[in-house]
Amino acid sequence: MSYELASDLTTLQQRVNHFLSDKLQSNETFGSPLMEAMAYAVLLGGKRVRPFLVYATGRMLGVALEKLDHSAAAMESIHAYSLVHDDLPAMDDDELRRGKPTCHIAFDEATAILAGDALQSFAFELIANDATLTDKEKVAQVRELSQAAGVSGMCLGQSLDLLSENKAVSLETLELIHRNKTGALILSSVMMGFHLSEHSQNLAIKQPLERYAKAIGLAFQVQDDILDVVGETDKIGKTVGSDENHNKSTYPKLLGLEGAKQKAQMLYQTALDALNELPFDSTALKELAEFIVNRES
């Protein structure tokens, strides 16, 4: 039977969504809107690329999906929290996310801030409570996710991104921003799947996976920048032209639209070359890379 990425994405999207929903519903709310806002943020929609990478990498390396559920859900919780905070008036001031009102519009700013805070804590709670992992594996997952999400990863990238508004930055600086802001969690997703496998100490497997993840992480942002120019609001789920409105440096602005498209294709080829070094069936990861650089949303 031939592999179909769309079907696999849907299956794993549903899996992580059901898992997140079950875990969130186990908490008492006492009349607070906090849990509702958390669920709204994390279950609002989205492609679930990061949980897919946790699942697909681990599965490729022989890890059972049940051993990957908590880590995949934790990754999506961190991603969701970052989007809630990213959309706030103090950050990007967006009113639309995944085709729906952003969390602070659907609720209010204070609730959105708390929902983001709680989703971040929830992510690490999920890993800590994972009965399928050894203590050593839990520490490895917490270390991986915390480093990717914090001052040496995503948060640093967001800070640098804010500093770059209304400034002309170099291509090198732009890549530094996005290797942290977008790429760090994508790399971490692949590494979290890898860490739970029996190959977790094998550099001959780890290094190609890192090159793959770094390439698609940057390609994801390049394609995001392209869609901000040529995309359609009803397809991409957020306002087209928001980067231009915030006077941000982007790949189309620095390289031109065609240059940005060529950059995405170059990164795609880098990702494929890395996977070709692995002695495993990497079809799912290859097709995801193609999806990332050719997506319209």
Side-chain angles (χ1 to χ4, degrees), residues 50 74-84 98 154 185:
R50 292 156 192 82
M75 176 57 70
E76 188 61 23
S77 297
I78 290 289
H79 178 54
Y81 120 71
S82 75
L83 297 182
V84 170
R98 293 168 175 170
M154 180 187 68
L185 286 189

Side-chain angles (χ1 to χ4, degrees), residues 108-286:
D108 56 67
E109 284 187 41
T111 300
I113 292 169
L114 289 172
D117 292 345
L119 281 168
Q120 184 187 50
S121 299
F122 179 62
F124 296 105
E125 180 184 347
L126 286 171
I127 295 174
N129 290 338
D130 188 349
T132 70
L133 303 188
T134 65
D135 288 346
K136 184 177 180 180
E137 287 172 329
K138 290 178 183 179
V139 169
Q141 297 299 77
V142 167
R143 181 186 296 115
E144 177 64 49
L145 186 55
S146 59
Q147 288 177 345
V151 69
S152 59
M154 180 187 68
C155 287
L156 172 63
Q158 176 67 1
S159 177
L160 293 173
D161 191 37
L162 290 170
L163 288 173
S164 73
E165 289 185 5
N166 300 309
K167 296 179 182 177
V169 303
S170 67
L171 183 61
E172 181 181 17
T173 298
L174 189 63
E175 292 199 358
L176 173 65
I177 291 169
H178 293 306
R179 286 195 184 280
N180 285 281
K181 182 179 177 181
T182 303
L185 286 189
I186 287 178
L187 172 59
S188 184
S189 298
V190 172
M191 288 298 101
M192 288 179 81
F194 167 75
H195 288 319
L196 295 184
S197 77
E198 63 183 17
H199 308 284
S200 61
Q201 302 304 311
N202 190 332
L203 289 179
I205 295 172
K206 181 181 182 180
Q207 290 172 348
L209 283 174
E210 286 180 331
R211 289 198 298 276
Y212 163 81
K214 288 177 180 179
I216 64 166
L218 197 53
F220 194 98
Q221 185 60 52
V222 174
Q223 185 63 12
D224 255 9
D225 286 358
I226 291 169
L227 290 174
D228 193 68
V229 177
V230 303
E232 300 174 23
T233 297
D234 60 344
K235 285 187 178 181
I236 67 174
K238 55 185 180 181
T239 304
V240 170
S242 61
D243 290 338
E244 183 65 30
N245 292 339
H246 286 90
N247 198 23
K248 289 187 176 183
S249 292
T250 65
Y251 290 95
K253 184 179 288 187
L254 291 183
L255 301 175
L257 186 57
E258 288 307 312
K261 291 179 179 179
Q262 291 172 10
K263 175 78 171 178
Q265 290 300 318
M266 181 193 72
L267 291 165
Y268 168 58
Q269 190 58 53
T270 298
L272 294 188
D273 291 344
L275 292 178
N276 285 335
E277 297 179 25
L278 298 174
F280 303 100
D281 181 359
S282 58
T283 302
L285 295 181
K286 288 178 178 177

Side-chain angles (χ1 to χ4, degrees), residues 8-26 38-52 55 65 68-77 79-80 98 100 119 122 126:
D8 198 17
L9 266 173
T10 298
T11 298
L12 294 177
Q13 284 170 356
Q14 292 173 346
R15 183 182 183 96
V16 75
N17 285 349
H18 290 154
F19 186 88
L20 282 163
S21 180
D22 287 346
K23 294 298 181 183
L24 285 168
Q25 288 175 9
S26 67
M38 290 171 67
Y40 181 87
V42 79
L43 300 173
L44 186 62
K47 294 171 282 293
R48 301 294 189 256
V49 165
R50 292 156 192 82
F52 180 87
Y55 283 127
L65 293 183
L68 297 161
D69 283 327
H70 286 77
S71 294
M75 176 57 70
E76 188 61 23
S77 297
H79 178 54
R98 293 168 175 170
K100 296 180 181 178
L119 281 168
F122 179 62
L126 286 171

